[in-house]
Amino acid sequence: MKDKYIVSSAPHLHDKTTTKNVMWNVVIALSPALVFAVYYWGFRALLLTLLGAVSAVVTEALIQKLRRVPVTVSDGSAFLTGMLLSYNINAGAPWWMPIMGSVFAIAVGKQVFGGLGNNPVNPALLGRAFLLASWPSLMTSGWLKPKSGALSGIADPDAIAMNLKALSPKAFDLVTGATPLKVVQTLRDSSFVASINADAGEGIDLANRIFTNITEMDALKNLFWGNIGGCIGEVSAFALLLGAAYLLYKNIIEWRIPLFYIGTVFVLSFIFGPIKGAGFSPMLPFFHIFAGGLMLGAFFMATDYTTSPLTKNGRIIFAIGCGLLTVVIRFVGGYPEGVSYSILFMNVMTPLIDKLTMPKAFGRVKK
Amino acid sequence: MSFIKELTKGIIKENPIFVIVLGMCPTLATSTSVENALGMGMAATFVLVCSNIFISLIKNITPDKIRIPVYVVVIASFVTIVDLSMAAFIPDLHKSLGLFIPLIVVNCIILGRAEAFANKNNVLNSIADGIGMGLGFTLALSVVATIREILGNGTWLNIKVLPETYDPMLITLLAPGAFITLGFLMALMNMLKEKK
C-alpha cells in the first residue's frame, strides 16, 4: 500500500523523460563521431573509448559501494562521462590514458561531491584538465595522421609540403606535424613568422601563404569531415552536428547554449581572427568553428544539465562567456585550444549566473 | 601525566594540519618532496619548541595589549637562528626551501600555539605541546610529500621507487595536486575518526 500513494510536492506533471533515457540518448548522439574516428584511425579509437567508458562505470560502481549508496551505473551517466573523456584524447595516446582520466573524472569530479547532480563542473572536462596537467607532452603531441589526409588539414599536402621543405624546414614541420589550431597559433608568434620568412628569402610571405592554405575551401572541407589530426571525438564536425540534430529533435538539449557559444566564436574570430599582414578571409570564422573541440564542447559538454544555468537568459550569458574565453585562449593564450578550460570556468560561474538571472516571482514587488 | 597527554595530542588527535587545518601555505608549498618536508618540519619544530618555552617564561610580564608583536619578535629571533644555521650547514636544502624558512615567522601553527597554549601554561607543558605539535606537523607534511613525490617524480627521499617506465603524474607536484592529496588525507582521517 505504501508504494501506491506517493506524497510529493508540486509540480505533479509527468512525462517519460528519465535520467537513463537522456543519458543513453546522448550516447547514441555521440556514436557517429566514433564511427568517423574508427574510419580515420582504426579500431584503436574504439578501444580507447571503450576503456574510458568501462573504467568510468567500474569506478562509479566501486565508489557507490564504498559510500553505501545505491549503485546507479545503469543510468548511463558514468558511461557517458567516460565516453566524453575518451573523446578528448588523441587516438595515439597510451592505453592507460583514458582509464586514468575516467577514474579521476568520476572519483574527484563527481563522487567526491555526492554523485550525479552535485558536481560543480563537468566531470569529463575535469578529467581532461587533469590529464593535460599530468602528462602535457603525451596529450599535445604524437597525433595520429588521419587516413589519406594531413594533420593540419591542408589540402593536397604532398605538393605543398615538398614546396615548403625546400623553402623552410621549420614551416614544413609545422604544416605536416601540427593540428590546425596549433598551426594557426604558431603563425601568431611573430618571432616564428620572422624566422620562416627569413628562410624563404625576402619577397615571399610564407606565413601568410600557409595561413591562406589552411583556411581555404578545400582545407575547410577536411575540417568539416574530420580528415585532420585531433582528439578521437572532436575531429568530425559533420558527425557531431548529426548527433546534435538528434538531441535537438529529441528535445534533450536546448538551442540557446550551442547557438550563442558557436555564434560568439564565429563573430569574434571574424573580427580578431586574421593574423598580422594577412588579408581578410571570409572563410576564417568557419575555420574557427569547425576546428578543435568547439562542436563537441558546445553541443555535448556546455549543455550538461547540472553545470549550466537554469534560466534562459542565464544560458545566453553562460554561452557568450564560453565563446569569449575560447577565443581569448585561442588567440592570446598559451594553448592552441580553449574550449575545455572556458567551459570549466563558466561551470564555476553557473551558480552566480543563476542567482543574477532568477526571474521575479509572480506578484512580488522589486525591492 | 599531563606532560604525556600534551605531547601526544598534536600527533593525531589535534594534528595541526589534518585536524586544526593551520599552516596550509607551507604545507602546500614544501610538500613536493620528502626531503623538503622533513627539513621544513624540523625547522618549524625547533622554532615552535623554543618559542613556546620563551613565551611561557615571559607570559607574566608580557603586557596583554602588545602580546602579538612580542610573539612575533620572539619567533623571528629563533627563525633567524634556524635560517642562518641552515644556510651555513645544509645550503642545498636551505636553497630549495627558499622563502619558506623566513616565512616560519608568520606560520599560523607557531603563532597559534603561542596564543592558545604557551601563553596560558607552564614551561614543561609548553615544551610537550611544542614537540607534539611539531612532530604532528612534520608527520603530516611527510605523508603528503610521500604521496606527491612518489606519484609526481617516481622517487621517495630521492631514491627511485617506481620503475623507469612510469610516466610521472606531474599534476601532483603542482598546487592542485597538493590540494587534492590533502583533501583525500583529511577525508581518510575523518573516516577513521568516525569509525572509532
Side-chain angles (χ1 to χ4, degrees):
Chain A
M1 277 308 271
K2 204 171 73 191
D3 296 336
K4 278 199 174 160
Y5 298 99
I6 302 164
V7 180
S8 67
S9 57
H12 302 290
L13 296 168
H14 285 270
D15 78 357
K16 284 183 193 137
T17 311
T18 57
T19 307
K20 200 171 177 170
N21 201 309
V22 169
M23 296 296 171
W24 290 114
N25 263 323
V26 179
V27 171
I28 292 171
L30 278 169
S31 32
L34 192 58
V35 174
F36 272 72
V38 172
Y39 170 74
Y40 287 126
W41 295 304
F43 278 94
R44 198 185 161 78
L46 180 68
L47 189 74
L48 288 184
T49 310
L50 281 179
L51 273 175
V54 169
S55 48
V57 169
V58 170
T59 312
E60 174 136 305
L62 280 178
I63 294 179
Q64 285 180 329
K65 271 259 154 62
L66 220 99
R67 289 178 57 212
R68 296 192 195 89
V69 293
V71 176
T72 56
V73 289
S74 65
D75 70 10
S77 67
F79 189 93
L80 179 61
T81 298
M83 191 170 177
L84 276 173
L85 175 100
S86 311
Y87 272 24
N88 280 299
I89 292 175
N90 167 12
W95 59 271
W96 47 264
M97 201 75 127
I99 299 180
M100 292 300 288
S102 288
V103 170
F104 187 88
I106 295 293
V108 179
K110 191 175 167 197
Q111 288 297 334
V112 156
F113 296 99
L116 185 67
N118 293 316
N119 45 308
V121 298
N122 189 317
L125 285 175
L126 196 73
R128 176 189 151 82
F130 162 75
L131 292 177
L132 196 59
S134 292
W135 297 280
S137 60
L138 286 174
M139 284 294 283
T140 54
S141 63
W143 302 107
L144 286 190
K145 233 174 102 164
K147 224 182 205 167
S148 75
L151 274 183
S152 59
I154 228 159
D156 197 10
D158 295 330
I160 291 166
M162 288 323 290
N163 215 337
L164 277 178
K165 201 169 190 174
L167 278 173
S168 163
K170 257 184 175 172
F172 171 76
D173 286 345
L174 180 68
V175 169
T176 53
T179 51
L181 281 172
K182 181 76 191 166
V183 175
V184 170
Q185 189 208 18
T186 313
L187 291 178
R188 286 181 180 277
D189 176 3
S190 56
S191 61
F192 179 86
V193 169
S195 76
I196 61 165
N197 279 343
D199 284 351
E202 298 299 321
I204 306 171
D205 198 348
L206 204 50
N208 279 345
R209 260 178 49 193
I210 299 172
F211 192 73
T212 317
N213 272 325
I214 209 162
T215 50
E216 67 172 3
M217 200 58 204
D218 288 337
L220 279 184
K221 271 184 198 152
N222 283 335
L223 265 183
F224 184 73
W225 294 105
N227 201 8
I228 50 165
C231 296
I232 293 174
E234 71 175 16
V235 287
S236 175
F238 169 74
L240 290 167
L241 283 171
L242 208 66
Y246 175 73
L247 289 185
L248 285 168
Y249 168 73
K250 281 261 178 185
N251 243 332
I252 287 173
I253 60 171
E254 201 221 25
W255 56 272
R256 281 187 182 80
I257 291 178
L259 181 79
F260 279 91
Y261 189 174
I262 295 170
T264 307
V265 174
F266 188 91
V267 172
L268 289 177
S269 47
F270 189 74
I271 303 168
F272 301 108
I275 63 166
K276 209 171 155 191
F280 175 77
S281 160
M283 287 297 160
L284 189 61
F286 291 99
F287 170 84
H288 274 287
I289 63 169
F290 291 143
L294 183 63
M295 288 292 160
L296 184 64
F299 286 109
F300 296 93
M301 291 174 168
T303 51
D304 178 27
Y305 293 159
T306 316
T307 55
S308 61
L310 290 168
T311 60
K312 285 168 184 167
N313 287 338
R315 285 178 183 163
I316 295 173
I317 297 174
F318 175 89
I320 292 176
C322 284
L324 197 71
L325 285 167
T326 301
V327 171
V328 167
I329 295 174
R330 276 187 188 179
F331 290 178
V332 292
Y335 288 105
E337 173 62 309
V339 168
S340 52
Y341 286 119
S342 65
I343 299 175
L344 280 174
F345 186 85
M346 292 312 287
N347 282 164
V348 180
M349 291 290 134
T350 296
L352 208 66
I353 297 172
D354 264 339
K355 206 175 165 185
L356 284 174
T357 55
M358 203 48 82
K360 198 175 60 156
F362 181 72
R364 177 132 348 141
V365 183
K366 210 176 176 183
K367 274 180 202 151
Chain B
M1 187 58 211
S2 74
F3 182 82
I4 304 284
K5 210 185 91 200
E6 301 301 349
L7 190 71
T8 52
K9 70 165 190 250
I11 296 171
I12 306 254
K13 215 177 97 214
E14 285 181 37
N15 189 296
I17 291 178
F18 295 142
V19 180
I20 313 181
V21 201
L22 284 178
M24 284 296 103
C25 173
T27 309
L28 298 173
T30 63
S31 61
T32 47
S33 75
V34 179
E35 197 184 355
N36 281 356
L38 288 176
M40 182 68 198
M42 293 299 174
T45 307
F46 173 79
V47 175
L48 183 54
V49 174
C50 293
S51 67
N52 260 11
I53 295 172
F54 209 83
I55 287 161
S56 175
L57 279 174
I58 59 167
K59 65 174 182 286
N60 293 329
I61 53 165
T62 313
D64 206 36
K65 275 185 182 158
I66 56 158
R67 62 184 198 286
I68 301 288
V70 171
Y71 301 157
V72 172
V73 172
V74 171
I75 296 165
S77 319
F78 290 113
V79 169
T80 311
I81 296 173
V82 169
D83 193 21
L84 294 179
S85 313
M86 282 180 85
F89 297 113
I90 32 175
D92 287 344
L93 185 60
H94 183 261
K95 212 174 178 181
S96 76
L97 287 175
L99 189 63
F100 288 95
I101 293 292
L103 275 180
I104 296 176
V105 176
V106 285
N107 188 307
C108 309
I109 301 171
I110 295 169
L111 270 178
R113 293 329 286 174
E115 169 76 6
F117 198 90
N119 195 29
K120 299 184 184 84
N121 289 282
N122 63 30
V123 179
L124 205 62
N125 280 348
S126 299
I127 296 176
D129 180 73
I131 296 174
M133 285 291 163
L135 285 181
F137 178 62
T138 313
L139 191 76
L141 214 54
S142 310
V143 173
V144 176
T146 300
I147 297 170
R148 291 181 71 190
E149 192 182 340
I150 291 178
L151 289 180
N153 206 16
T155 60
W156 190 79
L157 255 179
N158 300 327
I159 306 160
K160 205 125 194 91
V161 287
L162 290 178
E164 213 50 62
T165 47
Y166 174 72
D167 241 312
M169 195 193 286
L170 294 179
I171 195 171
T172 52
L173 295 183
L174 306 171
F179 280 113
I180 294 167
T181 311
L182 201 61
F184 272 109
L185 285 172
M186 279 182 187
L188 193 72
M189 290 281 285
N190 287 347
M191 203 176 90
L192 292 176
K193 214 187 263 169
E194 263 176 34
K195 273 218 175 119
K196 262 182 198 166

